[in-house]
Amino acid sequence: MDKIAVFTSGGDAPGMNAAIRAVVRGAIYYGKEIYGIRYGYQGMIEGDILKMKSYSVSNTVQRGGTILKSARSMEFKTKEGRKKAYEQLKKRDIEGLVAIGGDGTFTGAKIFYEEYGIPTVGAPGTIDNDLFGTDYTIGFDTAVNTALEAIDKIRDTANSHDRVFFIEVMGRDSGYIAIQSGIGGGAELVMVPETLTTIDDVVNTLTDGWNRSKTSAIVVVAEGDEEGDAMTIAQKVKPHLQGKDIKVTTLGHIQRGGAPSAVDRILASRLGLGALEGLLNGQVNVMAGVINDKLVYTPFGDAISKDKPLNPDLLRMVNILSI
Ligand code: ATP
């Protein structure tokens, strides 16, 4: 395999640049030609593909976002779209791909391989940490730290005014950001999609807190919680907490941006190089991951479909530590 292309796809995550850099520098180290595809699968379809040199990734290890841009491509979900993408790669003799993205990205890569035989190895780039086959995904640590910084600031004002704050963090299907930022931020309660916390539970926990002389409270809510988003939950709780000043803050896309943390830069460098080396060693349709500090490869099918449950120990801890 002499010509390889790298791209980022789906939601962006801090550390993607460090991963791109590792793929580009690794490929050059092994004497390969390396191309960057801009805008994910959409750029592949449109031929937005450029040759990369070692200096193409200079001064990027510390930058958030993705220098190759990202996109969600509806066209790649169609047979015609994938045919166009294949033709663009064939025109340039590109024989293998490194995809940095989440489950949708790997689903697309798997289908593409089944149709056209172009192998892809993935690096998990998503702040949600929802992929099986790696302890952590690229961007998760930075997102947690960003959420934590915001929670710390909100806690000051919650405390000064004796307020209850519902803080919504990202996580449509996964409570990883919520649980980690909730524990780190000393939340009274964390609501995640994986376990049902009812409105009664919320009311009881907060009331118990006041009965023990607490004056303010922080509830961290993952956006995909079963009871709704933070605003909906706050509205449901309000009638049961007469006289309490309830506020809602949705952290939103700030969790996606910013300079990657040290943990994310190192993880992204390892996973980017790991994905490239896997591809060069003949791996196909697998995702590079780090489990117990060891680089491992997991088939896309498993990475996408297998559950990565939250550590029940962490959920248990919230209740004990917020007493
Ligand atoms: P994140 O977890 O951050 O959302 P992701 O990789 O899961 O990242 P998606 O938008 O789900 O993000 O997927 C990225 C792209 O992968 C899609 O825009 C689409 O082009 C491609 N893709 C997803 N699912 C399929 C599919 N079933 N067939 C072909 N391509 C797909």
Side-chain angles (χ1 to χ4, degrees):
M1 189 176 289
D2 290 320
K3 294 188 182 181
I4 293 160
V6 58
F7 63 99
T8 49
S9 163
D12 65 334
M16 279 183 160
N17 286 328
I20 296 168
R21 172 177 175 271
V23 176
V24 170
R25 296 263 163 102
I28 292 165
Y29 175 85
Y30 289 114
K32 309 296 174 188
E33 265 185 46
I34 179 81
Y35 291 81
I37 304 172
R38 284 161 33 96
Y39 296 101
Y41 289 121
Q42 197 53 38
M44 199 185 287
I45 290 168
E46 290 168 14
D48 195 349
I49 301 173
L50 21 114
K51 183 140 184 229
M52 298 191 83
K53 306 274 186 199
S54 125
Y55 57 76
S56 312
V57 289
S58 297
N59 198 25
T60 59
V61 75
Q62 81 286 15
R63 282 169 57 191
T66 159
I67 55 165
L68 288 176
K69 310 270 190 163
S70 191
R72 301 193 194 267
S73 167
M74 290 314 290
E75 207 180 343
F76 195 77
K77 291 189 174 179
T78 67
K79 263 190 173 310
E80 303 74 53
R82 292 193 294 275
K83 183 164 185 283
K84 283 190 209 162
Y86 171 69
E87 281 159 6
Q88 293 289 358
L89 298 181
K90 195 161 180 268
K91 205 154 74 179
R92 296 166 178 84
D93 294 324
I94 292 169
E95 299 153 289
L97 300 168
V98 175
I100 304 163
D103 51 358
T105 301
F106 301 152
T107 305
K110 194 164 170 282
I111 295 170
F112 194 53
Y113 178 74
E114 282 153 14
E115 289 175 348
Y116 295 104
I118 302 224
T120 300
V121 176
T126 166
I127 63 166
D128 291 338
N129 199 31
D130 57 352
L131 288 164
F132 176 87
T134 190
D135 288 341
Y136 296 106
T137 56
I138 297 163
F140 170 68
D141 182 72
T142 308
V144 169
N145 279 299
T146 301
L148 201 53
E149 204 184 319
I151 292 169
D152 286 350
K153 288 180 177 164
I154 291 168
R155 173 181 280 280
D156 287 346
T157 172
N159 197 261
S160 304
H161 288 273
D162 293 349
R163 282 177 175 148
V164 178
F165 265 91
F166 287 84
I167 305 174
E168 184 179 303
V169 298
M170 281 189 165
R172 258 169 303 171
D173 308 304
S174 144
Y176 271 95
I177 295 179
I179 194 75
Q180 295 231 356
S181 61
I183 290 173
E188 270 59 38
L189 201 62
V190 177
M191 300 178 73
V192 294
E194 291 88 344
T195 59
L196 179 67
T197 307
T198 64
I199 297 301
D200 279 351
D201 294 334
V202 180
V203 172
N204 291 337
T205 303
L206 295 178
T207 309
D208 285 353
W210 289 310
N211 291 341
R212 289 193 307 266
S213 317
K214 282 194 187 236
T215 53
S216 62
I218 303 274
V219 180
V220 174
V221 181
E223 63 182 322
D225 187 73
E226 299 95 327
E227 289 287 357
D229 58 15
M231 187 59 85
T232 309
I233 292 170
Q235 274 160 359
K236 288 185 190 169
V237 165
K238 206 170 179 143
H240 305 284
L241 297 181
Q242 297 291 341
K244 288 290 166 193
D245 191 4
I246 298 177
K247 301 280 181 208
V248 177
T249 301
T250 300
L251 300 186
H253 283 78
I254 61 164
Q255 293 160 93
R256 286 267 185 87
S261 65
V263 167
D264 272 331
R265 293 182 204 190
I266 295 157
L267 180 69
S269 301
R270 264 185 106 179
L271 292 178
L273 186 61
L276 174 87
E277 289 181 335
L279 188 68
L280 295 178
N281 291 330
Q283 298 265 14
V284 171
N285 280 351
V286 293
M287 181 193 86
V290 171
I291 295 180
N292 292 334
D293 208 28
K294 280 211 166 60
L295 190 80
V296 293
Y297 298 96
T298 301
F300 279 154
D302 290 348
I304 297 160
S305 65
K306 287 200 176 166
D307 268 355
K308 187 160 91 174
L310 284 181
N311 184 342
D313 239 21
L314 297 185
L315 283 166
R316 196 177 61 86
M317 259 169 68
V318 178
N319 297 331
I320 297 175
L321 300 187
S322 66
I323 203 159

